[in-house]
Amino acid sequence: MSWLQNRFLRNAATLQAGAVLNGFGGLATVVLLAHFLGARLQGEYYTAIAMYSGLALLVNIGLVQVTVNQVASAAARGNADKVLEWLGFLAKAYFLCGCLLVVAGLFLLPWVGRLVVGDEGLLGSDADLVRLAQLLTLTPLLELPKQVVMGALQGTRRMVLLAKTENAQEVVRVFSVTAGTLLVFSPLGPVLGMLFASAIGSIVSLELYRRARRDDGYPLPAIREVLRRAPRVNVWVGLPLTLRFGALRNLDTFALEVLPPLLMRTFASAEWVAYFKVANRIMNVPLMFMQGVSRTALPAMSELKGLEDMKRFRQLWTRVTLVGGSIVGGGLLLALPVIPLIVGYFFPQDYGGPVWTLALILAVGFVPSAFCIALDTFFLLVDRLGVLILITSVGLALIVPLSIQLCIWIPDTGAAWGFSITKIWALVNFLYVAHYFRRSAT
């Protein structure tokens, strides 16, 4: 078949298959936790994750994404030393950020816990949730080898091995989170399971990296070479770009992953945190069918930008945006009527009504934002991250106070409406994209 001869489509299909497996693995975990923990304890587990994720924003500076971009560009030019330099940069910077996160968790998470759940939480006190979130701060250090490997594999477009790396950890995660829950029957069980999966994922990734060095793709340096180079790398050289991209990712993560669960836990209840996470996970299922395309687009467009082929760059970005958005948006609309059946069959009875209500609200934002599949890649590659950060910051300055007010008016669903409004605001970025392409064509 002709599409098999197209490298972009082959890589996209490979990552797509992996994304589907990961997506269903995540959905299976949500279902199992709903039955084993119930809505209240499941909601507390997700609250602890949100607390950790909010703190992680302090050190989440887009290291992997920027490294993928730089490795792909260097590999396209055949610059092996630059590839080694950026992998060393990723290893050193990720380690430093991981250490900083652990220390920050010891001092800042107790304050966050008191702010979110007060002096008395469901698990006995706010300290219980704090300890869970503090345990999760070990995640970046446990995943450091895997992140370096993934940066190398994605940057050199070894998508089969990249998908295997992610799928292996996802399989272990589903098993270990379930096993931990059955052993402890509290949120501590899945937290320990996640940490175990992170460690195993790093071990598997190193073996797959050694396999990548023996194939016919772009030659990769040995891990020991990366480790020898890492201490000598000046991380400040790469930080300006990573900080800009990290600021963007942090704004999105705060608005879409951290703020809604914490607002629901503060103004509604732990149960509604669980209902929101279930609805969000189900609505994300159609999105996973385009993850392979979006992730393949980054190195593919990086190569075109590195070669200064702006015409093909514009064509590829437009094709990914229109085709991807149509598929995902259509999939979301087709999936809506099925959600009550899925929830009714797989989840406990009390999940049905709340999850369906939240899914309808989230669809308002998910469907139009499906066309934003390659927006981040565009702004990164044309070096206009500052514009994207400005547009996103303005949106959050308007939407966060509105979300809090909505939670006061309608505690159970206010955060979900804020989530959808945030998704819709992303469409404002297309005004600048149109301006940039029109100017570059003249």
Side-chain angles (χ1 to χ4, degrees):
M1 297 176 64
S2 59
W3 69 272
L4 289 174
Q5 299 175 357
N6 186 298
R7 186 183 183 190
F8 181 88
L9 292 179
R10 288 200 314 272
N11 289 337
T14 299
L15 283 181
Q16 191 53 65
V20 170
L21 291 175
N22 289 341
F24 281 112
L27 191 58
T29 304
V30 169
V31 173
L32 292 171
L33 290 179
H35 286 282
F36 295 152
L37 294 180
R40 298 189 60 149
L41 288 178
Q42 186 181 22
E44 295 290 18
Y45 165 63
Y46 290 132
T47 301
I49 291 179
M51 290 168 58
Y52 153 70
S53 299
L55 181 66
L57 298 182
L58 298 176
V59 296
N60 179 19
I61 54 176
L63 295 172
V64 177
Q65 296 90 338
V66 171
T67 298
V68 169
N69 174 38
Q70 296 296 327
V71 168
S73 180
R77 299 191 303 270
N79 191 337
D81 187 69
K82 185 64 69 174
V83 170
L84 175 61
E85 183 78 9
W86 274 99
L87 292 179
F89 163 83
L90 176 58
K92 182 176 181 178
Y94 209 89
F95 173 76
L96 294 175
C97 288
C99 293
L100 178 61
L101 182 61
V102 172
V103 175
L106 295 176
F107 295 98
L108 296 181
L109 282 174
W111 174 78
V112 176
R114 287 190 295 271
L115 182 66
V116 173
V117 300
D119 293 328
E120 293 296 329
L122 173 67
L123 305 182
S125 71
D126 62 296
D128 294 289
L129 284 176
V130 168
R131 282 193 289 269
L132 293 178
Q134 287 173 334
L135 280 173
L136 289 170
T137 61
L138 297 172
T139 302
L141 293 177
L142 293 174
E143 291 192 349
L144 191 156
K146 190 195 77 168
Q147 297 299 332
V148 174
V149 169
M150 290 178 63
L153 296 180
Q154 188 178 356
T156 56
R157 302 175 72 175
R158 287 173 165 89
M159 301 311 181
V160 172
L161 292 176
L162 178 63
K164 288 182 178 180
T165 301
E166 296 177 334
N167 293 156
Q169 178 164 336
E170 183 61 25
V171 171
V172 175
R173 190 189 66 81
V174 173
F175 172 80
S176 59
V177 166
T178 304
T181 304
L182 290 174
L183 289 173
V184 182
F185 281 102
S186 80
L188 176 62
V191 166
L192 294 177
M194 288 181 62
L195 295 176
F196 177 79
S198 295
I200 297 300
S202 288
I203 294 173
V204 172
S205 69
L206 291 174
E207 175 57 34
L208 292 174
Y209 186 84
R210 283 191 286 269
R211 189 180 305 177
R213 297 192 66 237
R214 296 193 296 267
D215 65 21
D216 296 328
Y218 185 88
L220 290 169
I223 288 295
R224 61 180 178 273
E225 295 181 61
V226 176
L227 294 178
R228 281 199 297 264
R229 177 64 68 92
R232 304 196 303 270
V233 171
N234 182 5
V235 295
W236 297 105
V237 173
L239 282 182
L241 182 59
T242 59
L243 285 172
R244 282 182 290 163
F245 193 81
L248 169 66
R249 302 313 308 159
N250 288 346
L251 292 171
D252 286 343
T253 300
F254 174 77
L256 301 177
E257 297 181 21
V258 175
L259 186 62
L262 295 184
L263 287 178
M264 284 188 167
R265 182 61 180 85
T266 302
F267 291 97
S269 66
E271 290 92 335
W272 278 92
V273 176
Y275 301 147
F276 173 80
K277 295 298 288 188
V278 170
N280 193 14
R281 175 68 70 174
I282 294 175
M283 293 300 294
N284 268 291
V285 169
L287 296 179
M288 71 187 180
F289 288 100
M290 287 307 295
Q291 284 186 21
V293 173
S294 61
R295 294 180 64 187
T296 306
L298 176 57
M301 285 192 273
S302 294
E303 291 183 5
L304 294 177
K305 189 64 172 60
L307 298 172
E308 298 296 330
D309 192 341
M310 290 302 299
K311 180 180 180 180
R312 290 175 60 198
F313 172 79
R314 181 174 65 251
Q315 291 173 342
L316 177 58
W317 184 88
T318 304
R319 187 161 58 248
V320 168
T321 298
L322 295 179
V323 175
S326 299
I327 293 174
V328 173
L332 286 167
L333 293 175
L334 292 174
L336 272 179
V338 185
I339 291 177
L341 300 177
I342 294 175
V343 177
Y345 185 82
F346 290 103
F347 288 87
Q349 185 176 1
D350 61 305
Y351 281 69
V355 171
W356 173 235
T357 299
L358 291 170
L360 290 175
I361 296 172
L362 296 182
V364 175
F366 266 109
V367 173
S369 68
F371 291 91
C372 301
I373 189 172
L375 265 180
D376 291 358
T377 300
F378 166 83
F379 281 98
L380 173 65
L381 296 181
V382 302
D383 195 22
R384 293 295 187 276
L385 285 178
V387 175
L388 183 55
I389 292 172
L390 176 61
I391 295 173
T392 305
S393 300
V394 171
L396 289 185
L398 299 172
I399 296 170
V400 170
L402 176 60
S403 297
I404 295 174
Q405 187 60 53
L406 287 171
C407 287
I408 296 174
W409 290 336
I410 39 177
D412 293 343
T413 60
W417 283 111
F419 179 99
S420 287
I421 295 171
T422 302
K423 284 276 192 181
I424 293 173
W425 177 263
L427 299 179
V428 174
N429 293 293
F430 283 105
L431 297 176
Y432 182 82
V433 174
H435 166 72
Y436 180 88
F437 281 144
R438 183 168 57 251
R439 188 182 61 183
S440 63
T442 59

